[in-house]
Amino acid sequence: MELPSHEIETNLRNLGANLPEDVRLVAVSKYHPVEAIRVAYEAGQRIFGESRVQELVAKYEALRGIAPDIEWHFIGPLQTNKVKYLAPFVHMIQSVDSMRLLDEVNRCAQKHGRRIPILLEVHIAQEESKGGLEDDELMELIEYVYEHEEDYSGIELCGLMTMASFTEDEVQIEGEFLRLRSLFDRIKYSGLLRHPEAFTELSMGMSGDYPIAVRAGATLVRIGSAIFGER
Ligand SMILES: *Cc1c(COP(=O)(O)O)cnc(C)c1O
């Protein structure tokens, strides 16, 4: 069931009033129709998040004429063979979770003469089912990119992303977000980034836990159902 337009507008207004000015809202529009995105766009929202390649490409095509300044963020599991469909237009890929995927994003971006901003997804939650790099893999990847910087003109390392455990335990969730924050600080000041000034984003927090993420230092929150309703 889609929410009526005025409810989407009200949800966006309330979120805007609740989020600090330096935290940006990624409106997660996955499984919701183009019409719902239009409503949010007309209410002033510009950053949208999607988690399936085909769906994102279809929405991009449908909206590019009437909403050309939408920034599309990809936030879902990404197969290397689908990166090529995103490379021409995607504003940020938040879910880079392997060296192989990073290499493919880099390759496709170079083909389009682009440098695509990316976030590295980190596995913080207790559930094994949640994706992301483990700490040691994360550090290895960052070191590798540092040592081969001349090969990586197609990507810009802009920060980290995670999903917290699915639990009611707010203390645990806060601990997980703070862990991402401390990894972020460790990397930013490690000397292992060619452009530490570009490493600015901590993407964490969804409809159920974003206030905790904001307290822990999120710069991007990814919110779907609290804007568009249940999927
Ligand atoms: C779906 C999704 C969200 C938004 O979830 P809500 O609970 O609807 O706010 C955020 N991040 C990722 C990676 C998602 O897949």
Side-chain angles (χ1 to χ4, degrees), residues 90-129:
V90 73
H91 193 82
M92 177 179 276
I93 298 177
Q94 296 201 4
S95 46
V96 174
D97 62 357
S98 72
M99 197 71 225
R100 223 165 76 82
L101 180 56
L102 187 82
D103 283 342
E104 182 62 6
V105 173
N106 182 50
R107 195 184 68 81
C108 293
Q110 286 173 342
K111 229 169 134 179
H112 290 276
R114 298 190 65 203
R115 190 189 265 279
I116 297 180
I118 63 131
L119 305 184
L120 297 171
E121 183 174 355
V122 185
H123 181 224
I124 297 271
Q126 281 184 331
E127 297 101 314
E128 283 306 315
S129 59

Side-chain angles (χ1 to χ4, degrees), residues 46-62:
R46 289 296 178 270
I47 310 177
F48 291 88
E50 289 282 337
S51 61
R52 293 191 305 186
V53 173
Q54 265 178 311
E55 185 177 347
L56 171 50
V57 171
K59 286 171 171 174
Y60 164 72
E61 293 293 343

Side-chain angles (χ1 to χ4, degrees), residues 28 30 51 75-76 161 163 205-208 222-226 231:
V28 177
K30 64 185 185 200
S51 61
I75 62 171
M161 182 270 242
M163 279 166 105
M206 319 196 330
S207 294
R222 309 178 309 269
I223 299 182
S225 43
R231 293 180 284 272

